[in-house]
Amino acid sequence: MGKCKVCSHKTESIMSFGKMPIANGFISSVSDDEFVYELKVDICPACFMVQLGETVKPDMMFNENYHFISSTSLVMIKHFEGVASEITGIISSEKSPFVAELGCNDGVMLQHLLSRKIRHLGVEPSKNVAQLAKNKGIEVLEDFFNSSTAENIVRRHGQADVVCGSNVMCHIEDINSVFDGINILLKDNGIFFFEDPYLFDIVKKSSFDQIYDEHVYYFSGLSISELAKRHSMKLVDMAHQDVHGGSMRYYLKKDNSRVISDRVKELFSKEKECKLHEPDSYTKFRDNVNHICKDLKNTLLKLKKAGNRIAGYGATSKSTTLLNYSGIGPEIIDYISDITPTKINKYTPGTHIPVKPYEFFKTDYPPYTLLLAWNHEKEILEKEKDYREKGGKFITFFPEVTIK
Ligand code: TYD
Ligand code: ZN
């Protein structure tokens, strides 16, 4: 039994996945040493926060070798353009608005604020991706965000009208220190919004591959509302997003703020109906996950035994959990195609499947391809019409194994 990282109450176990390597720890040689930790996910019955039982030091994940680049999907590029437009609307009546983004990655969102000449700052601890943003002319502070970073920012830029973050809040173990920082950085009438994979979607689809070292938390409206209260803030709105297999955008304001939207109330009842806050309700999730893993491995083995080559599509962080937990390695998957330059010609963490460039996949067209980047299914199926017309088949696995 562990201790809640938010409120220190005793947590209860949801599921254990055993030893796991770092999700983005692609290796150059199969003989490279790999750090492993115990991947398990717990829930706090007091503040409802679903969280990792054991965490990895941030600098082991977010450093100069961070492999995650936001601008690798057209849908995500468009999505972030939408975020920029929303921000532009929010600040339209301010004189000299200032926007801070936590975890700005390669600047996929801030580039739009830059082109609209809006004062901005990206806070990004991973040096290599921060450099990509800087190359675009975006102002970046290379650091982890907490109260002292917030004080520095306020000294240099003043308080922010908007603070935002996409796929970053769930990464930060000391989330209380982030909220302390937000309280310093945000104007009293400012808005803080962020989005992360939504616990409801993870449970509904059994998409357990979202569970890995970088995702310390799996948020719901119920847990974010509790967290906000602890920091004198209020969850005032929520908006579901189709990205990353189902995400939720949470809007928070300082406590003197306006009323809570009906959307929040509706989503709260949906979450309660699904018992997302109750430790005992996760038995079905565990059973579903184990069933999918068994079924997927059997399906792939059958295809392989019948003489088919199988590739993977998208060397995602998520697939580290899926492949390691299901025991799927290079004896089943010949290689994984990916467009991220830093992943190419490396091997997947733990399972050691070679990552090959997309051009290789295009000339190879194996009969079967495991769609590891399943969250981009629509975009990829559209892009790979030719592959499918020539007889190639994709294998997906959430909420169940399907060949299409
Ligand atoms: P992503 O969806 O961000 O998932 P995670 O957060 O689990 O890493 O990663 C998508 C991966 O798939 C990334 O490595 C880029 C790759 N990819 C392709 O190779 N081709 C594509 O068309 C798309 C959309 C992604
Ligand atoms: Zn708690």
Side-chain angles (χ1 to χ4, degrees):
M1 198 126 22
K3 210 164 99 178
C4 174
K5 293 175 226 324
V6 174
C7 76
S8 299
H9 194 281
K10 266 188 195 162
T11 54
E12 294 192 26
S13 171
I14 289 181
M15 188 161 183
S16 292
F17 297 92
K19 294 262 179 268
M20 199 60 71
I22 302 252
N24 263 305
F26 292 86
I27 49 174
S28 302
S29 150
V30 289
S31 56
D32 282 3
D33 273 346
E34 284 179 275
F35 171 87
V36 290
Y37 68 102
E38 200 71 41
L39 179 61
K40 47 190 181 191
V41 66
D42 298 339
I43 183 167
C44 172
C47 74
F48 317 135
M49 188 62 84
V50 172
Q51 53 196 285
L52 288 186
E54 187 179 319
T55 53
V56 171
K57 281 208 180 95
D59 57 5
M60 292 205 55
M61 301 179 282
F62 311 113
N63 50 39
E64 66 281 7
N65 295 318
Y66 192 48
H67 289 289
F68 182 85
I69 310 288
S70 291
S71 302
T72 48
S73 147
L74 292 174
V75 171
M76 291 311 290
I77 291 172
K78 249 194 138 146
H79 174 77
F80 287 117
E81 205 178 326
V83 174
S85 298
E86 182 167 345
I87 293 174
T88 311
I90 293 172
I91 57 178
S92 60
S93 59
E94 302 294 331
K95 267 202 191 113
S96 173
F98 173 51
V99 178
E101 186 185 24
L102 312 184
C104 68
N105 200 273
D106 62 354
V108 64
M109 191 283 284
L110 285 180
Q111 65 196 14
H112 301 288
L113 300 194
L114 173 73
S115 68
R116 291 168 202 177
K117 299 196 168 51
I118 295 168
R119 283 202 305 132
H120 64 270
L121 181 72
V123 186
E124 177 54 68
S126 302
K127 264 194 166 46
N128 57 333
V129 287
Q131 192 56 49
L132 295 176
K134 284 181 181 172
N135 294 347
K136 294 177 183 166
I138 292 162
E139 189 151 348
V140 184
L141 176 66
E142 260 175 47
D143 213 340
F144 289 98
F145 183 79
N146 51 36
S147 40
S148 75
T149 329
E151 274 159 11
N152 279 340
I153 299 173
V154 173
R155 263 195 302 274
R156 283 178 45 214
H157 303 266
Q159 281 184 303
D161 298 271
V162 175
V163 180
C164 62
S166 297
N167 304 305
V168 64
M169 290 298 286
C170 76
H171 288 188
I172 309 175
E173 177 167 3
D174 193 359
I175 200 158
N176 287 316
S177 78
V178 175
F179 271 78
D180 289 343
I182 300 287
N183 262 315
I184 295 167
L185 180 56
L186 194 66
K187 280 186 186 165
D188 281 350
N189 63 347
I191 188 146
F192 168 42
F193 71 86
F194 63 93
E195 66 186 54
D196 284 291
Y198 186 32
L199 180 63
F200 185 89
D201 287 300
I202 296 174
V203 171
K204 276 280 168 220
K205 298 190 183 96
S206 311
S207 49
F208 72 101
D209 60 353
Q210 289 289 2
I211 301 168
Y212 57 89
D213 52 347
E214 289 178 26
H215 292 168
V216 179
Y217 298 106
Y218 306 86
F219 298 138
S220 60
L222 294 169
S223 62
I224 290 301
S225 171
E226 289 300 312
L227 177 61
K229 273 187 223 158
R230 298 179 70 81
H231 294 274
S232 311
M233 294 188 84
K234 214 188 257 175
L235 173 63
V236 293
D237 203 1
M238 289 163 76
H240 191 265
Q241 310 293 320
D242 279 337
V243 299
H244 279 297
S247 292
M248 184 58 75
R249 189 175 294 160
Y250 305 91
Y251 297 81
L252 278 69
K253 298 208 82 178
K254 288 191 176 174
D255 218 3
N256 54 3
S257 58
R258 42 174 139 130
V259 283
I260 294 173
S261 80
D262 286 344
R263 231 168 6 172
V264 172
K265 290 172 200 156
E266 278 158 29
L267 286 162
F268 273 22
S269 2
K270 215 169 114 179
E271 291 180 7
K272 279 186 184 153
E273 219 174 278
C274 184
K275 297 193 168 66
L276 288 188
H277 57 308
E278 288 182 17
D280 295 342
S281 67
Y282 287 86
T283 318
K284 190 157 182 277
F285 172 72
R286 269 195 303 273
D287 291 348
N288 289 346
V289 169
N290 289 328
H291 169 75
I292 289 169
C293 291
K294 221 169 125 187
D295 195 16
L296 179 62
K297 189 167 181 183
N298 286 340
T299 306
L300 295 174
L301 277 174
K302 242 193 234 161
L303 293 171
K304 196 75 186 176
K305 277 189 189 138
N308 295 294
R309 279 177 318 104
I310 309 171
Y313 198 110
T316 57
S317 327
K318 291 185 285 294
S319 37
T320 298
T321 300
L322 177 90
L323 298 171
N324 281 281
Y325 187 60
S326 311
I328 297 170
E331 67 293 344
I332 300 179
I333 304 289
D334 294 72
Y335 66 93
I336 300 177
S337 161
D338 200 283
I339 55 171
T340 315
T342 57
K343 293 181 187 175
I344 291 167
N345 295 331
K346 296 217 165 106
Y347 297 88
T348 55
T351 46
H352 304 171
I353 302 170
V355 181
K356 298 210 172 168
Y358 176 57
E359 295 68 35
F360 184 87
F361 173 82
K362 289 289 277 180
T363 51
D364 183 45
Y365 274 4
Y368 291 92
T369 301
L370 182 63
L371 187 52
L372 294 163
W374 58 268
N375 47 313
H376 301 289
E377 177 171 341
K378 212 168 147 220
E379 177 175 351
I380 291 171
L381 292 195
E382 187 66 35
K383 188 166 146 189
E384 302 306 340
K385 265 191 186 145
D386 180 54
Y387 169 61
R388 292 175 81 208
E389 274 165 20
K390 292 197 167 118
K393 294 217 179 318
F394 278 106
I395 302 164
T396 56
F397 34 89
F398 294 136
E400 56 184 8
V401 179
T402 311
I403 301 180
K404 48 181 83 158

